Amino acid sequence: MAQPLEGLTAIVTGAGRGLGRAEALELARLGARVVVNDYGQSGRDGSGAASAGPAEDVAAEIRAAGGQAVAHVGDVADHQQAGGLVQLAIDTYGRLDILVNNAGILRDRMVFSMTEDEWDTVIRVHLKGHFNTTRFAAAHWRERSKAAGGLVHGRIINTSSEAFLAGSAGQPNYAAAKGGIVGLTTSTALALAKYGVTANAICPRARTRMTEDVFAGFGEPADGRLDPLAPEHVAPLVGYLAAPAAARVNGQLLVVHGGMVAIAERPRIAAKFDTAKELFTFEELDELLTPYYAQRPPHETFAAGEVLALKHGS
């Protein structure tokens, strides 16, 4: 029986460790050929001997299990290097079918203390990094579709965050970047649907090197059970979204962790007010909006804090 992703080629960014590694391994398990991207250079192991680096380590792990994989060491936030990543997939395997954008960093600080560099760096890696790879993958799929005279298999899985949905007081840069990624995803979904390409975003919750401080208070199970925050809980959804079975899933935002997947609904209009005149005045807005907000819970905002309470079985 054919595997769901057999014959397809995937890129996973930030795949040397953590969430990206789990996603790359899952895509390979489902039959995809994987280009494993991670930032940085080849390193050294604990004994001081030269090592291939995390991207090559994951690629080697896939090959050892019987799959096909190559490593790419580069910065997806650099436009040219992102183009090189997409081209590597095409040159190595003849095509690109799946793009998983996962690479990211944290520079947490309250907004009144954040530096310009802390803001710029996070926006660059997350939001620009997602755009860069998407831009080159989209061009590839558009050209393939035109050449074929029909639809192609193209899948983009972007990584947003509950920090965008619920708000995160100590992460204004990260929340803004992750919100921007959702906007990029929905725009891309509409633009590429006519070529057969889908674009979706996930909000994963996983214990990784990047989030170890964030989840420091969430202890791992002591009885040998799988950690509810293990990246392995997220990877199967990425595999599904990458597959032909998910052809009708497009422009969606899904929260995933600990054996649970929740589909976030698009924003709804809570209230609408029309001026009784040609133009609103301050006084009329005061008469309409002040009583409306007086009846609303004082701390209720556009943020959906209830998403943080979601868990398996509830």
Side-chain angles (χ1 to χ4, degrees), residues 65-267:
Q68 299 182 61
V70 295
H72 175 273
V73 178
D75 179 8
V76 293
D78 180 284
H79 197 65
Q80 191 170 21
Q81 292 184 50
L85 169 60
V86 172
Q87 194 60 49
L88 175 63
I90 298 167
D91 290 344
T92 305
Y93 299 117
R95 57 194 279 175
L96 173 65
D97 305 284
I98 301 155
L99 171 63
V100 181
N101 283 311
N102 167 74
I105 60 170
L106 290 179
R107 296 290 185 272
D108 294 352
R109 202 176 300 276
M110 299 296 285
V111 68
F112 43 76
S113 303
M114 182 162 288
T115 67
E116 182 181 13
D117 182 66
E118 288 166 339
W119 174 271
D120 289 347
T121 300
V122 169
I123 297 295
R124 177 182 180 273
V125 173
H126 287 274
L127 186 52
K128 187 182 179 187
H130 273 60
F131 159 72
N132 284 342
T133 53
T134 296
R135 182 256 180 260
F136 290 106
H140 168 66
W141 288 322
R142 181 171 178 263
E143 291 171 4
R144 270 179 51 195
S145 177
K146 287 187 173 183
L151 304 180
V152 299
H153 182 100
R155 299 287 186 268
I156 299 173
I157 299 102
N158 288 333
T159 306
S160 183
S161 171
E162 293 170 298
F164 151 67
L165 283 172
S168 182
Q171 298 179 303
N173 48 3
Y174 184 71
K178 292 306 189 180
I181 285 168
V182 173
L184 171 65
T185 302
T186 54
S187 174
T188 302
L190 292 174
L192 301 186
K194 63 183 178 181
Y195 304 118
V197 178
T198 66
N200 295 286
I202 63 171
C203 293
R205 191 187 299 180
R207 194 191 310 275
T208 67
R209 189 177 65 162
M210 189 181 84
T211 63
E212 59 186 355
D213 291 336
V214 176
F215 296 126
F218 295 78
E220 298 183 44
D223 56 4
R225 290 179 300 139
L226 183 65
D227 183 357
L229 296 179
E232 287 76 14
H233 286 295
V234 176
L237 177 61
V238 172
Y240 168 75
L241 293 174
R248 290 179 59 86
V249 185
N250 193 28
Q252 301 296 306
L253 180 64
L254 302 99
V255 180
V256 54
H257 57 79
M260 180 215 76
V261 174
I263 300 170
E265 191 171 24
R266 64 181 177 85

